Structures are given as structure tokens and as C-alpha cells.
Amino acid sequence: MAISSVTNVPQDYRTVYNPIEYVALSDATTRAKNRFKYIFDVYDGATLLARLKVPADPNGYGRCDVHGVCESYLKTDLGTINSSATGTGFTDNANSYKEFTIKIGEEYDVAGVLTPDLAQETRTVLTYNGCLPNYRGSTLNFSEYSATNYYQNYVNNGTSRKWLTNAPKGSAANKSDNQSVELTDEGWAYFLYDHASHPVTAVEITLYNAAGSTTATHRIENGISAGTLAGIKMLKVPFAPNTINNILPADFSVAPTQPIITNETSYKISLKNSGSVVSEEMYFNIDSECRYTTRRLEFLNSLGGFDAFNFTKVSRMSEQIERKYYKQNAEDMSSGVISYNLSDKQKTQYYTKSKTKMKLTSDWVDAATFNWLLELIESPEVYLHEGGERIAVQGIEGEWEEKRAEVDTVFNLVLTIEFGVDNYRQRF
């Protein structure tokens, strides 16, 4: 009398904010016992995190989704910004992924006592801080949320290995479909990792001039020890100019004189394993700062990494003010005689709270960029880069409607961001 099979097992590199479902089947004799239930225990190593119990469905199967437990143990990892000692270019995102052990058993009535029969089957699943949509564009999806089945083989070598971003990747030096950045911009690019099967030894940065000719190629070496790399499942590397320029020269294969990005007009980054390219290539155009203050937003994307985007047109601050009052007699009776003054108040303001907002406007963007920025509007974690610091953004207000390249040309995205702090005034 035992679990006869586990018929559904999620693959590794599972997006933790989507269903992570196991299906087990016990023999008919055991299922017929009084108070029968399947038990799914979720472990972090030897530590039991949660015990989930489900009854058998009409066909006898026990179906359990454990992602609600797993997601509670994952967070996010932000890269260092505004530092002349950023150090190593490869950084572990230790908070963004985690392996869990699922132990499957059952319980039933034995002589009036509810008796468990635990850990008959054991499975492990590696999860990361991603959330793939059920519907986006033309694909309706309710089941295959694993990286290998749904998002084109993150862990494979070759140029099919994706970065953890849906941002446009560009096509070549100085092309209009490349992402735009400024020399002062900060940012990191994220990717899933399997060192044993698909190692990465460096991130290569190729610089181009206005004619599209290569001016220099630099390689930031993966300086993390092999023993440590064996347990790492997600890494990040610098992609924005100022972050690249702050990597220590000793971390390059050939130590350069920093900054390496100065007068170039564009560049690309790609992951390398020795001499082979093992990822898609991402291209960036370097823009000069315009007449308005650039507002750069960094946001958690749907794949568990952080993207960034510049709003380069005019931005305006506003305040949303909340007031509360109490009512009193508007007169002076201190001498026993009622008198009135123009300065007397009938209502006194005793509570004032204001929320700071900022309206942002992008430069002209194409359909691919506009559609990608839906992830910014949806994101639960957003920061404004200001003075070399991150300022938390509480919420984003904006209208989004899908654009199609065959019928739409270029357009602006206009957003209003609300900061994650409140301001207060004197109270009476």
C-alpha cells in the first residue's frame, strides 16, 4: 500500500510565481481507506517548510500546487550602482532562485487514528523569481511555465540562450532598433546558469564608432571560483556604460584603462565560453543627454531580472495632498464676552499628508519597445535612479495599448510615478 506513481513533475528552472504542480497516484486499496489524503511536504534541505494535504480526485489522483509556499522564500537581487569599486563583473543572484525538495506521501484512518505514511516519493525542483503570463499576444498558456518548454531554452549553449529580459536586443552597430543608453547610466543584465553543462567564462563588450567599425573588444572574466559556480543558478553582469566603466581593470582578461566606453556611438554585449558565443547578443546605442533631465527607471521584469529605461523628455513634479479638519466655535470668549475676529477659524486643519508624483515622458519609441514597457507598468518593484541612488517608486499610472509595427510608427509613453514615501506637515 503506497504511492504507485508520480505522474506530473515540474522541470527545473521553474518560474516560482506560476503553478508548480505535482500529481501522485496511490493504489486503489489505500485510497479506499477512511479519511484518505495525499501529503505533499515542501522542504528546504532538511527543514520542513509546509505540509499540504489534498484529497483524491474522482480518478484517484492527488494534485498539488506548491508555488505559493516556494515564492515566499524568493526575493530579488539588485546590482551595485554609482560605485568606483563595483568589483567583479559576475555576481550571484542568490536571493532570486532556490531549490526545494518535495516529499510525497499519504495519510488515512487506522483503527480510528489518522496515520501518515510520509516521504514515499521524493522530487526536487529548482525555482527562480519569474512569472510568465497566461496570455500575452497570441499564446494562451496554463501549464508549461518551465524555462526549457516555454521560454526557449535558457540553459542551452549557443546563441539561443536568452537573457532574462524581453527588452529589444537590437541587430547591429548604430541601428535604430537598439536600446538607447547614456554614458551615466547604470544597469545589470541577468541570465540563468548551469555551470556543469553550460559554463560561461566571460562577458564580451564590443565597441563601435559612428561608421560602425569596431574600435575595441574587452572581456570581463568570470572570476567566481569553480567550486562556488557549481551551486549558482542565476548570474548578472554589467550592461550599462557607467556600470561597465566601474568594473575593476583586474577583472578583465586584459586590464584596460577605465573608462573603456567614452566616445563610442554603440556597443554590444554577449556571453562567452572560451572563444565561443553562448548567448544572444544585445546592442546599445549611446545617446548624449538632451535638454531635459533624464529620468531612468529600473524595474523587476517578468523573468526575474531587472531592466531599465530612460525617459528623456520633460518631467514634472506634483503633490497629491490629503487634509483632515476638526470644527470649533469661531469666536473669542476669554473675557466672558463673545467677540469675533476675521482671523478666527471655524475649521482647523489638524492632519496634512502629501504624496509626491512625477510625470514622465519618453522619447519617440518603436512598437517593440513600447510593447516591452508594459512590464514596467505592471512591475511590483520599480526604482528611479537619482543622484547615484535608487529611490523607491510605489506605483505607476499610465495607459498602455498594444502597438503593431505594420500599422503604427513611433510614439511616446507617458507615465506618472508615485514615490514610496509620504510627506507630513505640522499638526494642531
Side-chain angles (χ1 to χ4, degrees), residues 14 16 73-78 92-98 127-130 164 190 192 233-234 236 300 303-306:
R14 196 70 169 187
V16 78
Y73 293 87
L74 270 69
K75 299 180 182 177
T76 55
D77 293 274
L78 288 161
D92 180 17
N93 302 310
N95 296 309
S96 298
Y97 62 88
K98 195 173 187 63
T127 65
Y128 71 100
N129 188 27
L164 289 175
Y190 296 66
L192 294 180
K233 302 303 180 183
M234 186 195 293
K236 60 179 173 292
L300 177 65
L303 301 173
F306 279 85

Side-chain angles (χ1 to χ4, degrees), residues 218-240:
H218 301 276
R219 288 167 59 100
I220 301 173
E221 295 295 318
N222 187 349
I224 303 173
S225 67
T228 301
L229 281 170
I232 292 177
K233 302 303 180 183
M234 186 195 293
L235 287 165
K236 60 179 173 292
V237 294
F239 83 84

Side-chain angles (χ1 to χ4, degrees), residues 50-258:
R51 172 164 292 172
L52 306 174
K53 300 180 181 182
V54 297
D57 73 2
N59 295 314
Y61 293 98
R63 176 179 178 176
C64 184
D65 180 3
V66 301
H67 91 274
V69 176
C70 298
E71 71 180 46
S72 302
Y73 293 87
L74 270 69
K75 299 180 182 177
T76 55
D77 293 274
L78 288 161
T80 302
I81 65 172
N82 193 36
S83 171
S84 58
T86 301
T88 180
F90 283 77
T91 308
D92 180 17
N93 302 310
N95 296 309
S96 298
Y97 62 88
K98 195 173 187 63
E99 185 177 75
F100 297 91
T101 300
I102 313 301
K103 298 183 179 182
I104 305 170
E106 55 201 3
E107 68 177 14
Y108 42 80
D109 189 297
V110 177
V113 178
L114 191 59
T115 304
D117 186 0
L118 304 175
Q120 299 179 37
E121 296 284 342
T122 298
R123 302 289 189 273
T124 61
V125 62
L126 177 67
T127 65
Y128 71 100
N129 188 27
C131 184
L132 298 171
N134 287 330
Y135 179 75
R136 182 62 49 78
S138 60
T139 303
L140 184 64
N141 175 65
F142 289 113
S143 60
E144 289 301 346
Y145 298 100
S146 61
T148 52
N149 281 351
Y150 186 75
Y151 206 76
Q152 300 185 38
N153 300 311
Y154 280 120
V155 296
N156 280 0
N157 261 341
T159 56
S160 65
R161 172 157 54 186
K162 301 286 187 179
W163 297 89
L164 289 175
T165 177
N166 289 315
K169 309 304 187 302
S171 56
N174 305 318
K175 293 293 185 180
S176 60
D177 59 346
N178 300 344
Q179 292 186 56
S180 294
V181 293
E182 297 176 0
L183 284 175
T184 55
D185 284 348
E186 305 272 5
W188 295 77
Y190 296 66
F191 61 98
L192 294 180
Y193 190 62
D194 176 0
H195 180 68
S197 303
H198 311 288
V200 173
T201 59
V203 57
E204 187 169 87
I205 303 155
T206 305
L207 307 178
Y208 303 97
N209 60 21
S213 301
T214 301
T215 59
T217 299
H218 301 276
R219 288 167 59 100
I220 301 173
E221 295 295 318
N222 187 349
I224 303 173
S225 67
T228 301
L229 281 170
I232 292 177
K233 302 303 180 183
M234 186 195 293
L235 287 165
K236 60 179 173 292
V237 294
F239 83 84
N242 199 49
T243 308
I244 292 173
N245 287 341
N246 280 329
I247 298 298
L248 296 177
D251 291 320
F252 289 78
S253 56
V254 177
T257 300
Q258 285 281 35

Side-chain angles (χ1 to χ4, degrees), residues 378-404:
E378 292 178 333
S379 179
E381 187 173 350
V382 183
Y383 301 93
L384 172 69
H385 286 199
E386 189 84 27
E389 302 290 341
R390 290 183 174 100
I391 300 175
V393 173
Q394 177 177 316
I396 294 181
E397 302 169 6
E399 295 294 330
W400 183 90
E401 181 182 63
E402 182 187 22
K403 306 299 181 183
R404 295 186 178 275

